[in-house]
Amino acid sequence: MDNALSPPFLVALNLTRRCNLNCAHCYLDAGTRESDNTGELSTAEVLALLDDIAALSDETMVVFTGGEPLLRADLTELVAHASSLGLMAVLGSNGLGLNDRRVAALKAAGLMGVGISLDSLDAARHDSFRGLSGSWTQAMAAFDACRRNDLRFQIHFSVTDDNAHELDDMIVYARDVGAFVLNVFFLVCTGRGEKVTNISALTYERVMRRLTEASRQETEIMIRAKCAPHFKRMAWELDPDWPITAAHGYEAGGCLAGTRYCRITPLGAVTACPYMEEEVGSIRDRGFAEIWRDAPQFKALRQPVLEGRCGACEYGKICGGCRARPFARDGELMGEDFLCAYEPQGGPVIEPLGAPFGDDMAALPWTPEAEAWLARIPSFVRRFVRQRAEGQVRANQGREVTAEVMAELALVARERFGGRPPFAGGAEQ
């Protein structure tokens, strides 16, 4: 692979279309438990795919999702193989079936965390949204099982006009229940989601403002927007020096579709994200690395030529808008993100710090002690820690990364999150 092209930071692997819920908003239009699984990637095919992903980088996170991935009988085997390759294996689930036995087995196999969907603190509203009575109670039981077995979990909250008023209460609940992360998802109308009224632009703007403020203020858990690149603009407006902005890294908010992230369907098709249904290739026909490198749509997303307000916006390089929304509605990959209410002000374009698809600067040397620090950090965040450490050394006109630099970064992380490094999640619901 061309050294100038970064490997994926995150790969979402839809293991199955089968599901034990019937969510109205499902991007995959997942079927019921009894649905035919003909054509799904076999165990051998998934294992080979994991080998291919790890060959690009062992610093990639793989999200096993669905449908409902717990319906795959080979899930524990797949998690174990991913973990053995150095990949960070996490699970995106509705929580049904996550009892003590299953959680313990997955953790023993190397699972690093699980994202569990919770769309309301009102049981009836959650059950209605998810299409199954009792699903709220089972999600609560899943949180309990994760806590008892010391498996990190995050909450996935899909916000709509109907539940947007619950955001503050959901933040408090996520903190109190022991979640490491609260991911707030903003729906893109694909799959069964085409039948769901999306969040209004007014509510979207209001929720995003509150979400940005909460993310800046919170010290016990990480709060992030998903499928909402405008988070980057609002973060910049709130504090340009906040490390979460795209001027300092890729830690939250912005769209990674086709640039640092892709999705693989149960049948082996590769897409830029779960909300872009256009296939750019199949792992049954070509190697994953070749698809990642050469897919024309991915190349376009890596060098975007934005149109409309997005093309004229000073935040175009750190936000860029959601590409899935205009593509799903109008077939325009580079069209303006119609859910964004911001009007460009004609100012200079804000430039990200560092090249997003490769580092033009030579890597700095690391002392053995600093390398030992890095080796103790979860694999999926090492590249970002490496970039942060080298950036800090360059800013201070230093020549090498030392253990002292790493200790300083660790101190900042402990002050921010109490020594608990949250794991990141993909665009899964």
Side-chain angles (χ1 to χ4, degrees), residues 53-177:
I53 294 170
L56 292 179
S57 172
D58 62 0
E59 297 180 351
T60 296
M61 182 181 355
V62 175
V63 183
F64 294 102
T65 184
E68 175 48 54
L70 290 171
L71 297 180
R72 283 277 301 224
D74 57 358
L75 178 61
T76 302
E77 179 184 354
L78 300 179
V79 168
H81 188 66
S83 180
S84 73
L85 296 171
L87 301 168
M88 184 172 184
V90 298
L91 183 68
S93 173
N94 57 38
L96 276 69
L98 269 182
N99 52 31
D100 287 294
R101 179 188 59 81
R102 200 73 187 273
V103 170
L106 288 167
K107 183 180 177 184
L111 190 73
M112 296 296 291
V114 56
I116 300 171
S117 301
L118 182 66
D119 299 303
S120 177
L121 296 177
D122 179 283
R125 180 178 288 119
H126 173 89
D127 288 356
S128 175
F129 194 63
R130 292 284 160 180
L132 179 69
S133 178
S135 59
W136 186 90
T137 299
Q138 293 189 65
M140 297 297 110
F143 297 144
D144 292 340
C146 289
R147 278 200 310 271
R148 284 193 296 267
N149 292 277
D150 196 27
L151 178 66
R152 294 175 183 172
F153 65 93
Q154 59 188 23
I155 292 176
H156 292 175
F157 174 49
S158 296
V159 65
T160 68
D161 282 332
D162 294 328
N163 65 1
H165 64 281
E166 293 193 57
L167 176 60
D168 284 330
D169 289 340
M170 190 64 73
I171 291 171
V172 173
Y173 176 78
R175 185 193 309 130
D176 291 346
V177 80

Side-chain angles (χ1 to χ4, degrees), residues 382-420:
R382 283 180 197 152
R383 75 182 69 168
F384 300 103
V385 173
R386 186 183 298 114
Q387 291 172 357
R388 181 67 58 78
E390 294 188 5
Q392 182 168 313
V393 170
R394 289 190 180 98
N396 294 329
Q397 298 184 333
R399 295 186 177 181
E400 66 177 358
V401 180
T402 65
E404 288 74 21
V405 172
M406 298 300 290
E408 183 177 345
L409 291 177
L411 178 61
V412 172
R414 281 195 296 272
E415 290 175 346
R416 179 75 171 93
F417 295 108
R420 303 181 302 167

Side-chain angles (χ1 to χ4, degrees), residues 12-31:
L13 180 49
N14 291 140
L15 290 175
T16 181
R17 295 181 67 92
R18 289 172 291 154
C19 189
N20 40 21
L21 293 182
N22 188 32
C23 304
H25 67 289
C26 181
Y27 67 80
L28 196 62
D29 197 11

Side-chain angles (χ1 to χ4, degrees), residues 327-380:
F327 193 59
R329 190 184 74 172
D330 306 319
E332 298 292 339
L333 186 65
M334 296 297 159
E336 70 175 45
D337 186 344
F338 51 84
L339 199 54
C340 177
Y342 181 76
E343 291 294 338
Q345 302 299 303
V349 175
I350 299 170
E351 294 288 340
L353 179 64
F357 309 113
D359 192 350
D360 292 333
M361 294 182 287
L364 291 175
W366 287 58
T367 67
E369 294 79 10
E371 290 281 7
W373 270 88
L374 190 65
R376 294 195 295 268
I377 295 171
S379 60
F380 83 102

